[in-house]
Each structure stands twice: as structure tokens, then as C-alpha cells.
């Protein structure tokens, strides 16, 4: 059984898991300070994570959705995304946004299955914000696909 909860102030964020979804420790630490970190636990082990970040009035961004690689395909990512949408709604946000790499086919499918719609492309996002080249599904990652959902 999966339990999702907000990480307490005195707890350390699961950095190895966060770095699976975002290889920039500098960027991860930055948005961890500005957002709320939620973890998915299974038998007292942290197996998934996401960060919910207020960005503009009435808008939150879902950043860094990550699941332990050995547990991919078991629905944990969908539970995390659904939990983030419900949490943003309960907190009074009217819109939730997410950005993901254009090469992340499974991530794009997941977000759309959870009710997100594509709103734009941030060309060369990963070239501008990351020092190292990122490859996913055998392709170099350049662009971020932006998606949103009205709550």
C-alpha cells in the first residue's frame, strides 16, 4: 500500500530520488526551498516524490515527479500526480502546471491521462538551464513541454 504525505520541515528530502527526475542538484535545492515536498511511502520506505511549487497567484507547478526505477509501471507515478492535483485544489489554486522533457514519452502520456493539456513548448530550456547534455530515450533533450490543468 502506498501512503503519500508532506515531508516535515525537520526531514531531509530524498535527494537521490529527486535527482532521478532532475539532474541539477542546484535547481532541485532551489525549488525545494520554495515549495512543499511530498513523498510516497511503501512499508516505511520512500519510493516516490514530488514538489508542489506556488508560481503565480492562483497557480502551482508540479515539479520533480520521481519514482524508484525498480517500481516503474506500478501506478505510483499516477498516484503522485493525482495527489498533487488534489492537494493544489484543496490549497485553493485554480491552475496546476507541469513541465517535462519533450523526449519523455511516458511522462507526457502520464500527465495527459491525469487531465493535463499541452499549453506550449519552452524551446532550448534544457540547453539554457543545464550544463551537461541530457539524453532520454536515445535522444538529446532540448525542449520542455508545458502542460496545465484547470482545477
Amino acid at each position: 500500500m502506498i501512503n503519500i504525505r508532506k515531508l516535515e520541515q525537520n526531514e531531509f528530502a530524498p535527494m537521490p530520488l529527486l535527482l532521478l527526475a532532475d539532474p541539477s542538484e542546484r535547481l532541485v535545492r532551489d525549488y525545494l526551498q520554495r515549495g512543499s515536498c511530498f513523498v510516497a511511502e511503501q512499508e516505511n520506505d520512500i519510493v516516490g516524490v514530488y514538489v508542489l511549487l506556488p508560481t503565480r497567484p492562483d497557480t502551482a507547478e508540479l515539479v520533480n515527479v520521481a519514482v524508484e526505477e525498480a517500481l516503474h509501471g506500478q501506478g505510483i507515478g499516477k498516484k503522485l500526480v493525482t495527489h498533487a492535483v488534489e492537494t493544489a485544489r484543496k490549497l485553493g489554486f485554480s491552475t496546476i502546471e507541469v513541465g517535462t522533457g519533450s523526449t519523455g514519452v511516458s511522462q507526457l502520456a502520464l500527465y495527459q491521462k491525469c487531465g493535463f493539456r499541452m499549453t506550449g513548448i519552452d524551446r532550448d530550456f534544457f540547453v539554457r538551464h543545464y550544463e551537461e547534455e541530457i539524453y532520454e530515450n536515445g535522444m538529446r533533450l532540448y525542449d520542455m513541454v508545458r502542460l496545465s490543468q484547470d482545477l
Side-chain angles (χ1 to χ4, degrees):
M1 184 170 138
I2 299 293
N3 177 52
I4 301 174
R5 66 175 179 84
K6 185 176 178 182
L7 207 61
E8 299 296 329
Q9 291 281 22
N10 62 339
E11 292 180 280
F12 290 106
M15 193 58 72
L17 195 52
L18 289 160
L19 291 173
L20 285 176
D22 187 337
S24 171
E25 189 170 338
R26 178 184 57 81
L27 290 176
V28 171
R29 290 192 185 284
D30 175 63
Y31 56 69
L32 276 172
Q33 290 180 356
R34 297 182 290 122
S36 298
C37 185
F38 292 81
V39 294
E41 294 176 319
Q42 186 174 48
E43 298 176 11
N44 295 322
D45 290 329
I46 294 176
V47 297
V49 65
Y50 76 84
V51 178
L52 193 61
L53 181 66
T55 55
R56 297 187 304 278
D58 302 322
T59 302
E61 183 172 1
L62 171 57
V63 295
N64 201 312
V65 179
V67 174
E68 287 287 347
E69 290 180 288
L71 300 175
H72 284 190
Q74 296 184 20
I76 298 169
K78 187 171 185 177
K79 286 179 181 169
L80 287 165
V81 173
T82 301
H83 187 273
V85 169
E86 288 305 314
T87 299
R89 184 178 285 119
K90 287 176 186 171
L91 291 172
F93 292 102
S94 59
T95 304
I96 185 168
E97 299 177 332
V98 67
T100 193
S102 60
T103 57
V105 179
S106 60
Q107 296 94 315
L108 285 166
L110 169 64
Y111 294 129
Q112 291 177 86
K113 287 177 186 176
C114 291
F116 285 84
R117 303 274 312 272
M118 290 186 199
T119 56
I121 297 173
D122 189 344
R123 290 179 57 88
D124 291 326
F125 176 89
F126 293 97
V127 175
R128 290 192 315 271
H129 294 283
Y130 293 83
E131 293 176 18
E132 303 281 326
E133 292 180 0
I134 301 171
Y135 288 85
E136 185 177 36
N137 294 320
M139 297 174 278
R140 179 160 179 210
L141 179 56
Y142 293 97
D143 307 323
M144 177 183 283
V145 178
R146 304 290 305 170
L147 302 97
S148 72
Q149 182 178 154
D150 293 331
L151 301 174

